[in-house]
Amino acid sequence: MTVKDFVLGKTVWRESKRQTAARPRLRSLGTGDWLAAVSGVILAFAALCALFPGWIAPYSPTSMEADRVLLPPGAAHYFGTDYFGRDIFSVVVYGARDSLLIGVASVLAGGLAGCIIGAAAGIAGGVIDLILMRFIEIVMTIPGILLALAIAAVLGPNLFNMIFAVAVSMVPGFARVFRSQIISVKGRAFITAARSIGMPAPRIFFRHVLPNAWSPVLVMATIGLGTSILTAAGLSFLGLGVVKEIPDWGTLLSQGRGYLTVAWWISTFPGIAITLLVLSGNILGDWLRDRLDPKREQR
Amino acid sequence: MKQPLLTADHLSVQYPGKNGLLDAITDISLHIRTGETVCLVGESGSGKTIAAKTFMRLIDYERGRIAAGHVQFADQDLVRLTDKELRRLRGRKIAMVFQEPMTAFDPIFTIGSQLIETILRHQRVTRQEAWRRSVDLLRRVGLSEPEARMHQYPGELSGGMLQRAMIAMALSCSPDLLIADEPTTALDMTIQAQILQLLKELQREYGMAMLLITHDLVIAAEAADRIVVMYAGRIAEQAETQDLFREPYHPYTKGLLQSITAPDSMRKSKLYSIEGSIPGLHDMPSGCRFHPRCPHAVERCRSEVPELTGLNGRLVACWRAEELRHSGNVQARPAVIEAEPMTSERKETLIEAVGLSKWYPLKRGTGGKERFIRAVDDVSLAIRAGETFGLVGESGSGKSTLGRVILQLERATKGEVYFRGEPLTQLSGARLRNMRRHMQMVFQDAGSSMNPRWKAGDIIGEPLDVHESLSRKERKARIEELLQIVGLSPDMADRYPHQFSGGQRQRLGIARAIALNPAFLLLDEPVSALDVSVQAQIVNLLLDIQERMGLTYLFIGHGLHVVRHLSDRIGVMYLGQLVEVADSAELFLHPAHHYTRALIASIPHPDPAGRGTARVIEGEVPSPAAPPSGCRFHPRCPAATERCKLEAPELQEIGPGHYAACHFPA
């Protein structure tokens, strides 16, 4: 009787445990999830603006209405008009393309270069690490905007050079973060375990080190998106931006600076657009990082 | 009978979890009288630390909440005290000693300033008076040169010294109750014995009550007047120490007592183990929380919670305590290690290390000459095919480094390692990687040795992917087979490492190590991080696998009994050198080196009758960066002479198969 009861006891308990485990977890969506959803919508909208501005903008960004100069925001012009009588909302929508392009392309280029340098330094260690990192530190002593300014000034103002200039200014940050990340993962016991089973070094790197090292870089990239848009804006403001009919958000921001006291809306709305984009990127990046951590999945 | 100093009455504490409140401890009732030592024994997750923190209301800082019950300290109701009243109580009336002395001190202030601050906070004395008192305290807890220690920062002291300083701090206001939370767990064996003895002396001297929290019944046997056994947040049993060890009532206590590796266990026999693992806070079993692991559980245990009830002057929470009282008890006998016949047949040597050294360079000071930490210094040993070679030593002895250098996970500074006659130290690249399939490793912390993003099946399958080209189906079949060998169910292959319990993760680690049918396994403290009731399971599994696969083990451990149980031969390391090698039984019966003798003597006895027999060895392990001259043990050795200071002894044969590096072997 005892044996049977005992066996029964165990099975019943296991059974009930299994049921609780299989029950769908009705975890209410947390604040983080809502924020991430809103951020996703904002980013998607920005992308839509960049791809198909004609669908969204009510006016042409280049049409100047002499009788509608410096109108405050209203029903006809959501964001108001500027000194030339352009509809600011439309300009912001059309400007999304260049802003996003500069942001995404420079983060991709700068991030990739930075990660390669950081990974090389972190893996090789020793003299190579020393040389690469001292070089990176030298680059870091020059403020990002100044570096980008110098590059843009030397190469001349066009879109590609601007992306290049902003990308170079982003390299040191990525290199340093990725290097320290690689070094910390390299020292963990599961890397020793992989070596102890005779796994070749390149395979260890791609299968174990990289997947455990890249999430801070992902977060950095989303933050970098905003920084690079701002850097680009700075370049435009100093006259080294791309001279075009349709200004990007940074250019628009600086164009409005002179009218800040009479027409606050010219600078404010592109500023809000930049802020929203940066913020959305950060929130989504944080949320993604949490999602990418297997330990956070259920607890 | 004296009025109890501290009384907890049906105390329950809850912590907010993701899905509502979690019961950390439930219905805890206990009392401590002045001058009494009560030991709270339990494995991880039993709630013993939370209970202790509740007595100081430290749970307030962790969002913990007293859900029910009372705690009475002297004439104060601890549950109702305001923050201000609590601050006056903490440190002055109730003091606590923590497990990790390294982290319990603020690293940026000197020991002296932290001690003085504590004294000034609670007592109206001048700074000079506080200073004088601090120095006295440091001297009392056995720190040499107390004035100099006052000016030192925590980072400059060793773990044992810091724990002494921590105790001094706890004693600074002569508390009525001292709570010591695993005070010796993070320390080395020889230091553990010192600290335990110090605590007992001080308790007598100050007439304090002491609540000692530990996972180790052996320590409880050594120190406690009364033992409270906790399991999964509830009290399972409470009894006087003598009674508990003579006749445990609760099946859990019985199991715990039996899982202790006795000093005279039949070598390589199966150890008693409690099946399964400790439940987590979020999935507590119904009824008696021990029932899923209990061999005596009946229907009632599953549905009804047993109350803590009196039985023969003890308290036990078990429905069947009365009828089970006399079943399954082990009688305490005097420990006798039997001499074993010498293994006459000399098996072939599988691994041989010759003059192996591993030195780590230290940062060079300006103008100084290059210095090294000599983690392993000129070690030679041979491991025979099919045997288990045990390696013991305290932290800093270089035992783990030696293991890694043998496996070529770190390159030797000097010396050679041969595997089946092949010089491993000269192999590199693909040839070395190819050799690795014959030598695998099991890690101390199985969890960190696995990529957290991988599923269990892939972790086990990884060695197969590297060395063998199996089809998908063959690979899956092999993984399932391996899981079964180590006692896990095949459907666990899809889980992530963090979803396993500690013991199960170690099983996974073993499955990965044996995936390629290796000849040699390096076991680097594979059970040290596990709970007592789970340790025996893993030891049994290792024995089982060795027999089945004809493996050779290098077992590194610090629990001497476990090492003895598993090993055919044992090597003792001290400061990077092998000081003694002998057959397992021989080493325990006739230890020749004085360090080995000290190690064996420092083991507390798992029987309160043998209390106080543990002898304490003086001093601390010196830094391997500046080892003492001559015999490295001479500053701590009772038999040291002038010769030991000058001349380093060689490892020489003093009996058949018994080697010792000592000028005056005992």
Side-chain angles (χ1 to χ4, degrees):
Chain A
M1 152 258 174
T2 41
V3 174
K4 192 188 160 202
D5 275 354
F6 157 57
V7 169
L8 199 72
K10 285 198 155 181
T11 35
V12 168
W13 183 63
R14 289 238 166 95
E15 209 54 55
S16 73
K17 224 183 116 180
R18 191 167 298 143
Q19 278 166 8
T20 31
R23 201 177 298 150
R25 274 183 303 279
L26 286 172
R27 197 164 56 87
S28 59
L29 283 174
T31 336
D33 296 323
W34 282 112
L35 274 173
V38 172
S39 304
V41 169
I42 291 172
L43 283 181
F45 184 72
L48 200 68
C49 291
L51 292 172
F52 312 106
W55 295 2
I56 295 154
Y59 303 91
S60 157
T62 47
S63 71
M64 302 179 192
E65 311 278 334
D67 55 336
R68 295 182 164 194
V69 167
L70 291 178
L71 287 179
H77 301 280
Y78 309 129
F79 291 178
T81 60
D82 68 2
Y83 192 72
F84 308 108
R86 291 184 298 185
D87 177 51
I88 293 180
F89 179 70
S90 303
V91 179
V92 167
V93 167
Y94 274 88
R97 180 174 290 176
D98 275 0
S99 293
L100 278 185
L101 185 67
I102 293 167
V104 171
S106 60
V107 163
L108 278 182
L112 198 66
C115 285
I116 289 171
I117 294 173
I123 294 162
V127 183
I128 297 177
D129 183 25
L130 202 76
I131 293 170
L132 282 174
M133 280 302 115
R134 288 311 86 77
F135 171 73
I136 288 293
E137 275 159 24
I138 290 168
V139 178
M140 271 191 103
T141 57
I142 309 165
I145 182 81
L146 205 65
L147 191 71
L149 195 72
I151 293 170
V154 170
L155 297 176
N158 69 45
L159 193 66
F160 179 80
N161 288 347
M162 183 132 138
I163 289 171
F164 179 74
V166 176
V168 168
S169 72
M170 309 210 69
V171 167
F174 279 99
R176 284 170 63 100
V177 166
F178 204 53
R179 169 183 172 270
S180 62
Q181 200 57 27
I182 294 271
I183 288 175
S184 98
V185 175
K186 225 172 66 167
R188 284 165 70 180
F190 63 85
I191 302 299
T192 314
R195 282 173 54 211
S196 81
I197 60 171
M199 198 183 249
R203 192 160 162 174
I204 292 178
F205 178 75
F206 285 109
R207 308 245 297 177
H208 289 298
V209 180
L210 213 54
N212 282 291
W214 70 288
S215 54
V217 170
L218 184 81
V219 178
M220 243 193 111
T222 52
I223 297 167
L225 192 72
T227 321
S228 61
I229 290 173
L230 282 178
T231 310
L235 288 183
S236 307
F237 176 73
L238 294 165
L240 289 163
V242 193
V243 186
K244 276 171 103 181
E245 247 181 334
I246 309 166
D248 61 81
W249 292 348
T251 315
L252 196 60
L253 193 70
S254 39
Q255 278 175 1
R257 262 180 56 134
Y259 303 95
L260 214 51
T261 44
V262 281
W264 54 269
W265 50 89
I266 305 180
S267 298
T268 305
F269 287 106
I272 288 175
I274 295 174
T275 311
L276 272 182
L277 199 69
V278 174
L279 209 60
S280 305
N282 288 1
I283 289 167
L284 211 62
D286 271 354
W287 182 80
L288 260 180
R289 179 188 52 194
D290 292 349
R291 277 289 136 133
L292 292 170
D293 186 356
K295 281 189 190 158
R296 293 278 297 248
E297 258 172 32
Q298 35 184 278
R299 194 178 273 172
Chain B
M1 189 159 274
K2 271 184 284 180
Q3 187 68 25
L5 179 69
L6 180 96
T7 316
D9 188 23
H10 296 284
L11 184 68
S12 297
V13 171
Q14 290 178 330
Y15 275 80
K18 232 179 175 176
N19 307 313
L21 291 170
L22 293 171
D23 295 309
I25 54 176
T26 314
D27 220 4
I28 298 289
S29 301
L30 59 84
H31 63 272
I32 304 168
R33 291 193 197 88
T34 302
E36 193 182 31
T37 304
V38 174
C39 230
L40 212 51
V41 178
E43 299 176 276
S44 61
S46 64
K48 55 190 191 301
T49 298
I50 290 177
K53 282 183 180 163
T54 310
F55 298 151
M56 283 183 88
R57 283 270 300 276
L58 287 171
I59 52 163
D60 294 14
Y61 300 99
E62 305 170 345
R63 301 201 300 152
R65 205 172 58 83
I66 296 174
H70 300 282
V71 190
Q72 187 87 15
F73 179 76
D75 49 359
Q76 285 175 299
D77 183 357
L78 275 182
V79 181
R80 296 234 176 83
L81 287 188
T82 62
D83 275 354
K84 203 176 160 193
E85 290 167 317
L86 276 171
R87 274 200 299 276
R88 223 176 295 147
L89 201 71
R90 288 184 196 135
R92 189 155 66 163
K93 297 281 182 195
I94 309 178
M96 198 156 172
V97 175
F98 297 92
Q99 176 174 357
E100 290 278 349
M102 301 290 186
T103 54
F105 276 104
D106 189 329
I108 62 163
F109 294 105
T110 59
I111 300 286
S113 66
Q114 297 187 50
L115 262 170
I116 290 172
E117 191 199 350
T118 317
I119 294 176
L120 290 179
R121 176 155 305 261
H122 292 293
Q123 289 170 352
R124 291 175 170 278
V125 290
T126 62
R127 243 191 135 68
Q128 287 77 6
E129 170 67 18
W131 172 275
R132 204 185 49 72
R133 218 181 274 184
S134 303
V135 173
D136 285 348
L137 276 167
L138 288 181
R139 186 174 297 124
R140 178 62 201 93
V141 296
L143 280 176
S144 57
E145 304 168 62
E147 282 92 356
R149 304 287 174 223
M150 293 287 285
H151 293 290
Q152 281 181 314
Y153 288 91
E156 299 175 71
L157 267 57
S158 73
M161 285 152 84
L162 276 179
Q163 194 59 292
R164 285 173 190 273
M166 188 79 229
I167 292 170
M169 190 140 129
L171 290 177
S172 58
C173 298
S174 318
D176 298 333
L177 172 67
L178 181 69
I179 300 176
D181 187 0
E182 304 256 12
T184 62
T185 308
L187 305 174
D188 276 317
M189 285 175 285
T190 56
I191 311 298
Q192 274 192 12
Q194 292 174 1
I195 296 290
L196 210 57
Q197 199 162 63
L198 176 70
L199 280 173
K200 285 195 302 191
E201 279 172 28
L202 290 171
Q203 185 206 12
R204 226 170 293 137
E205 199 176 307
Y206 283 73
M208 302 177 288
M210 184 154 80
L211 179 66
L212 186 67
I213 296 164
T214 177
H215 67 278
D216 192 348
L217 269 171
V218 178
I219 287 177
E222 188 71 19
D225 298 316
R226 209 146 39 81
I227 294 179
V228 178
V229 180
M230 286 187 73
Y231 183 79
R234 281 179 179 275
I235 291 181
E237 179 164 9
Q238 190 199 100
E240 304 282 325
T241 308
Q242 300 283 351
D243 293 343
L244 190 91
F245 276 83
R246 200 181 58 240
E247 195 175 61
Y249 283 1
H250 198 285
Y252 175 62
T253 322
K254 285 183 214 267
L256 268 189
L257 276 174
Q258 286 181 60
S259 357
I260 298 174
T261 320
D264 57 339
S265 65
M266 184 61 190
R267 275 203 322 109
K268 305 227 169 184
S269 61
K270 285 280 147 60
L271 294 177
Y272 179 87
S273 66
I274 307 175
E275 254 190 80
S277 53
I278 298 153
L281 284 181
H282 46 274
D283 55 353
M284 281 295 175
S286 61
C288 170
R289 288 178 177 174
F290 186 58
H291 86 258
R293 301 176 72 192
C294 181
H296 307 291
V298 293
E299 185 61 46
R300 192 178 185 193
C301 303
R302 228 176 315 135
S303 48
E304 287 175 67
V305 180
E307 284 289 320
L308 197 63
T309 42
L311 185 63
N312 303 336
R314 318 164 38 164
L315 294 170
V316 58
C318 175
W319 290 121
R320 304 187 62 201
E322 183 70 55
E323 43 179 319
L324 290 172
R325 260 174 62 190
H326 301 298
S327 72
N329 285 338
V330 264
Q331 286 305 310
R333 330 160 244 120
V336 179
I337 300 171
E338 293 195 19
E340 290 168 32
M342 284 288 302
T343 38
S344 51
E345 37 147 0
R346 290 269 156 176
K347 290 180 205 145
E348 65 161 316
T349 301
L350 185 75
I351 284 189
E352 193 175 8
V354 183
L356 208 55
S357 296
K358 178 71 191 178
W359 296 3
Y360 297 101
L362 279 172
K363 282 246 167 77
R364 210 186 304 205
T366 40
K369 58 176 187 182
E370 192 156 23
R371 298 205 307 148
F372 293 95
I373 289 183
R374 302 177 177 199
V376 176
D377 204 7
D378 195 20
V379 169
S380 301
L381 60 86
I383 301 171
R384 300 175 200 135
E387 78 168 348
T388 301
F389 189 91
L391 208 52
V392 292
E394 297 173 274
S395 62
S397 66
K399 53 190 195 305
S400 285
T401 313
L402 178 62
R404 280 159 199 256
V405 172
I406 287 177
L407 275 201
Q408 303 301 307
L409 289 169
E410 300 200 36
R411 287 301 197 168
T413 314
K414 263 188 231 154
E416 300 284 336
V417 180
Y418 299 94
F419 181 83
R420 287 186 180 136
E422 191 150 354
L424 290 180
T425 22
Q426 280 158 35
L427 295 182
S428 60
R431 287 186 60 202
L432 179 60
R433 283 204 301 273
N434 218 19
M435 285 300 282
R436 291 208 185 279
R437 60 178 306 159
H438 305 298
M439 339 172 273
Q440 297 282 306
M441 176 168 178
V442 176
F443 293 77
Q444 173 177 6
D445 181 2
S448 69
S449 80
M450 294 165 190
N451 189 335
R453 289 161 198 280
W454 283 28
K455 289 179 175 168
D458 293 323
I459 289 166
I460 301 175
E462 202 180 5
L464 301 171
D465 301 340
V466 174
H467 289 282
E468 274 163 36
S469 42
L470 299 177
S471 71
R472 247 186 134 70
K473 225 170 110 188
E474 285 169 332
R475 184 176 180 272
K476 189 166 180 275
R478 177 75 180 138
I479 288 168
E480 285 179 0
E481 186 195 343
L482 284 166
L483 282 170
Q484 252 153 3
I485 291 175
V486 297
L488 296 172
S489 81
D491 59 310
M492 290 175 169
D494 287 331
R495 294 200 202 162
Y496 288 96
H498 69 271
Q499 293 169 309
F500 290 88
S501 71
Q504 287 174 328
R505 266 201 294 271
Q506 196 53 282
R507 286 173 193 270
L508 269 187
I510 293 169
R512 173 172 63 182
I514 61 170
L516 293 164
N517 285 317
F520 175 72
L521 277 194
L522 167 63
L523 308 167
D524 191 356
E525 307 217 15
V527 298
S528 308
L530 301 175
D531 279 310
V532 190
S533 71
V534 182
Q535 279 187 6
Q537 294 174 8
I538 300 296
V539 168
N540 288 344
L541 176 67
L542 287 170
L543 284 169
D544 186 45
I545 289 172
Q546 181 173 40
E547 199 179 275
R548 214 198 286 198
M549 302 176 65
L551 287 168
T552 307
Y553 286 161
L554 174 57
F555 185 91
I556 298 170
H558 68 246
L560 274 177
H561 291 320
V562 177
V563 175
R564 192 195 67 84
H565 187 84
L566 273 160
S567 308
D568 298 292
R569 289 192 302 143
I570 295 176
V572 181
M573 284 192 80
Y574 186 74
L575 274 180
Q577 294 185 321
L578 207 53
V579 296
E580 185 163 5
V581 181
D583 280 4
S584 195
E586 170 75 8
L587 188 88
F588 275 78
L589 284 174
H590 310 292
H593 198 283
H594 295 279
Y595 177 62
T596 316
R597 292 171 70 89
L599 268 189
I600 293 173
S602 69
I603 311 171
H605 213 270
D607 173 11
R611 195 187 271 205
T613 51
R615 280 191 309 278
V616 169
I617 169 180
E618 297 296 319
E620 308 254 337
V621 184
S623 155
S629 62
C631 172
R632 293 185 177 179
F633 188 59
H634 85 257
R636 300 172 76 189
C637 182
T641 64
E642 203 53 36
R643 186 180 165 204
C644 303
K645 245 180 245 177
L646 302 169
E647 197 184 322
E650 293 279 316
L651 197 66
Q652 49 195 317
E653 190 155 13
I654 56 161
H658 191 159
Y659 300 82
C662 181
H663 293 307
F664 309 103

